[in-house]
Amino acid sequence: MNTQKKIAVFGGGSWATAIVKMLSENISTIGWYMRNEQAIEHIKENEHNPNYLQSAELNAEQLDLSSDINYTVENYDVLIFAIPSAFLTSELKKLTSSLDGKIIFSAIKGIVPETGLIIGEHFNREYNVPIENIGVITGPCHAEEVAMERLSYLTIASKNEDNAKFIEKSIQSWYIKTKISDDIIGTEYAAMLKNIYAVAAGIAHGLGYGDNFQAVLMSNAIREMKSFIKKVHKMKRNINNSAYLGDLLVTGYSLFSRNRQFGNMVGKGYTVKSAQMEMSMIAEGYYATKSAFKMKEENGANTPIIDTVYNILYANKNPKKEFQKLTDKLD
Amino acid sequence: MNTQKKIAVFGGGSWATAIVKMLSENISTIGWYMRNEQAIEHIKENEHNPNYLQSAELNAEQLDLSSDINYTVENYDVLIFAIPSAFLTSELKKLTSSLDGKIIFSAIKGIVPETGLIIGEHFNREYNVPIENIGVITGPCHAEEVAMERLSYLTIASKNEDNAKFIEKSIQSWYIKTKISDDIIGTEYAAMLKNIYAVAAGIAHGLGYGDNFQAVLMSNAIREMKSFIKKVHKMKRNINNSAYLGDLLVTGYSLFSRNRQFGNMVGKGYTVKSAQMEMSMIAEGYYATKSAFKMKEENGANTPIIDTVYNILYANKNPKKEFQKLTDKLD
C-alpha cells in the first residue's frame, strides 16, 4: 500500500533540491513545486537548479515540476515541505486544495514567524492535519554535501512508524543513512534552537572569542537545548543523538551557515538591520530567537544563551557587554 | 595555610608554557622544570619559550627555572605535570627526591605508554601518592589561545576540595575561568579518549568524509565516551559538561590538533610509521588507542570508534574498509 504513495517536495532552495536528489535515487516520479517558473524551465532544460545547489545533477524525466502549489498538493500523497519558514505562510495562503488525508513531512528548520509555531504544530493547528500524519526530516546535513554525495545521516521522526519507514525507504541510498524517531516535537525544536546557537557562535566569533570558548559555548548550548525541550515536551530522549547534538554541531561549527554568518556580522558591529540587508536572506535563527525567548518566558526554562541573543537582536543591547555577562553564566 | 604552598610546573612544551603564563597572573615565584638547558637560558634572556608557544610573554623574574627535576620537586609543594605522556616515565626515573606530602596535578592529556595507566593512577600506583593528593587540570583549551589571552574555561578535578580551590585561585584570571569537579578519573579518561576520537576525525577527513559525517562521528563519540567512562568509574556526571564534551569538541574540530593531523595522514594513505616520521612527535592518541582498546576488552564497553582506530593503527587494517564498516554502526 504505502509504496504506492506519491511523494512531492515543496520549495526551490538548496535543501529542497537536496531532498529531490535523495528521492531521485529511489523514485521514478517526484512532484516538485517551486514558485519560480524560470527556475523550472532551467531545470527541465539543463537538469540542475540554476539558483541553489547548482552542482546537484538532476534527471528531468523523474521530475513533475510545477509552479502551481495546488496542482502538486492534489496529485501527491506525501508532501515534504522545504520552504524557508519566513515564506511558508504566504505560500500556504495559495492553497485552495484540501490537505485532508495528506501526509506532511517538514524539512524546514525553523519556526513560522507569524504564529511562533514549529512547522508540525503549524500544520496541526492551522490546517487540522492530525499529528499522526505529520513528520520531520532532520539531522546534521549540509545540502552541499548531499550534492557531492558525501555520507550523511538523517533522522525521520513520526508518530506513525509506517509513514517514517516509507520516507526512510524513499530517501536512503549509498550516501544517505537514516534513523527513525518518534520524537517529532523534540527534533523540530532542536532543529529550530540550533539556529539560535549558531547565531550565538557567530556573534562570539565576530567579537573575537576563539575555539576554546566555542567549545564551551556548544557544551552549554546542548545542555540548554536539553532543558528547553524537556520543558516543552518531556519524554525519554538522548540529547546526544545525531538529530540533536549532531545537528547543533554541523550548524554551530559551519562557516557557511547563514545563521553563523549573520551572528558574525552582528558581533563585528553591524546593526541587526544592516546585517540582514547585507545578506540576501534573513537567517532562520533571527525569528527562532524571538519565539524561543517568548516560550522560555512562559515555561520557565533557564536559557542564558537564548536570552543573550534575544537581548542583542531584539532589545538593541550591546553584543560585547551581553557576551561578557554571558561568559559568567557558562561553565 | 594553603596560600603558602609553592607551585611548580614540569615540562617545556606549549601546554606547560601556557600554564606558567596563567600562574604568572597570580603568583610571584613559579618553579619550572624543563630538561632543555638552552631553552632555559633563552627564557631567562628573552622572556619567551624559544621552541613552543613563542608568542606567550613571560616575566623571567617570576620564574625559578631549573633543568634539575629533583631541585624543583624538593623546593615546591604543588607539582603540575605537563610533560607529554610518552616522556613521563623517563623523566620520573631521574627522581631521587621523595614525592611524600607533595600534591600532584596532571595537565597531561594521555596515558603512560609503559603502564597503560592514566596519569593520576600512575602516580598513585607507582609512586604511592594518595588519591586525595592527586588532581587533574583539564578542559577545552588550546595553549595558543591562552598565549593570546582569549577566554578559556578550565576544570580542576580533585577529591580534595582545598587543593582544587588552591589551583583554581592560582590560575584564574580575566581570561581564565575555572570550575571544580570531584571526578578525577572521569576527567582524565575523557582527556585521553578525546585524542582517539580526534584521530578518528582526522582519518575520516583524510578519507574524504565531510562535515555532515564529522557531526555524526562526534555525536557518537560522546555517547561512546560516556559508556566507556561509566564502565571504568560509575558516578553521576554530566558528559555534556565542558570537561568532557567541550574538550572533545575543541580537539575533534581543531585543524591544529596533532592527533587529528596524524589521523588525516593515515586516512590519506600514509602508513602509521611514515605518518609518525613525518610529524616531529607521536600523537598522544596513538598510545591512548592501544590502552583504551585493551581496557574495553576487559570491561566490555561497546566502542566501535575506538575499535576502528585500533584496527587501523595496530592491526594494519585498511582505513577505507574499516570506516565503511564503522559507518553502519553509527547513527
Side-chain angles (χ1 to χ4, degrees), chain B residues 56-305:
Chain B
E57 288 176 32
L58 305 167
N59 180 356
E61 284 182 9
Q62 287 175 277
L63 307 176
D64 179 18
L65 284 149
S66 173
S67 61
D68 175 359
I69 194 169
N70 288 296
Y71 167 82
T72 309
V73 167
E74 279 162 24
N75 286 281
Y76 290 84
D77 311 301
V78 179
L79 316 180
I80 300 176
F81 282 86
I83 294 167
S85 63
F87 305 127
L88 186 67
T89 305
S90 60
E91 288 294 323
L92 291 178
K93 271 193 186 146
K94 300 175 188 169
L95 272 188
T96 52
S97 314
S98 163
L99 292 178
D100 278 4
K102 303 293 181 185
I103 295 163
I104 310 280
F105 270 82
S106 165
I108 302 169
K109 299 173 176 186
I111 206 131
V112 183
E114 294 85 353
T115 59
L117 297 172
I118 54 173
I119 312 302
E121 286 175 340
H122 185 79
F123 275 103
N124 177 245
R125 296 200 197 166
E126 308 285 317
Y127 292 88
N128 297 315
V129 179
I131 291 292
E132 61 270 21
N133 283 359
I134 288 174
V136 178
I137 300 173
T138 188
C141 201
H142 291 306
E144 290 71 17
E145 292 198 347
V146 173
M148 295 160 79
E149 301 184 353
R150 281 187 165 173
L151 183 64
S152 305
Y153 291 64
L154 295 176
T155 292
I156 318 297
S158 172
K159 290 286 177 201
N160 181 320
E161 206 181 335
D162 284 346
N163 290 345
K165 281 187 178 160
F166 177 66
I167 291 289
E168 177 165 60
K169 269 189 199 158
S170 305
I171 64 169
Q172 68 192 6
S173 65
W174 69 271
Y175 59 89
I176 300 292
K177 292 190 187 285
T178 52
K179 179 176 182 169
I180 285 179
S181 160
D182 62 351
D183 185 18
I184 52 168
I185 296 182
T187 52
E188 270 226 78
Y189 272 103
M192 180 269 267
L193 293 169
K194 65 124 200 281
N195 290 330
I196 306 173
Y197 300 125
V199 174
I203 298 174
H205 187 257
L207 287 169
Y209 290 90
D211 292 347
N212 292 352
F213 181 74
Q214 162 76 358
V216 171
L217 185 65
M218 290 297 112
S219 148
N220 280 269
I222 193 67
R223 286 177 270 154
E224 184 173 304
M225 180 190 280
K226 183 179 178 178
S227 72
F228 184 103
I229 298 178
K230 197 176 168 186
K231 290 269 184 188
V232 177
H233 183 60
K234 194 170 178 176
M235 67 175 271
K236 196 172 158 58
R237 63 173 67 84
N238 187 343
I239 202 74
N240 288 345
N241 282 349
S242 292
Y244 315 97
L245 177 63
D247 206 16
L248 171 67
L249 295 180
V250 85
T251 309
Y253 274 98
S254 168
L255 301 179
F256 306 104
S257 153
R258 267 196 303 271
N259 294 296
R260 201 173 185 282
Q261 284 175 354
F262 170 63
N264 189 36
M265 291 173 83
V266 171
K268 283 198 189 304
Y270 282 70
T271 63
V272 173
K273 270 244 168 87
S274 61
Q276 287 175 341
M277 302 263 284
E278 196 78 13
M279 299 180 71
S280 58
M281 235 188 77
I282 292 176
E284 295 274 7
Y286 177 73
Y287 301 112
T289 300
K290 192 173 183 180
S291 300
F293 184 78
K294 195 170 159 234
M295 277 181 237
K296 83 103 205 187
E297 294 272 277
E298 288 160 12
N299 67 32
N302 179 31
T303 56
I305 305 172

Side-chain angles (χ1 to χ4, degrees), chain A residues 199 202-203 205-207 258-272 274-279 319:
Chain A
V199 173
I203 297 174
H205 187 258
L207 287 169
R258 268 196 303 270
N259 293 295
R260 200 174 186 280
Q261 284 176 354
F262 169 64
N264 188 38
M265 292 174 81
V266 171
K268 284 198 187 306
Y270 282 70
T271 62
V272 173
S274 61
Q276 287 175 338
M277 302 262 285
E278 195 77 15
M279 299 179 70

Side-chain angles (χ1 to χ4, degrees), chain A residues 54 67 204 237 252 302 327:
Chain A
Q54 287 95 332
S67 63
R237 63 173 66 84
N302 181 30
T327 61

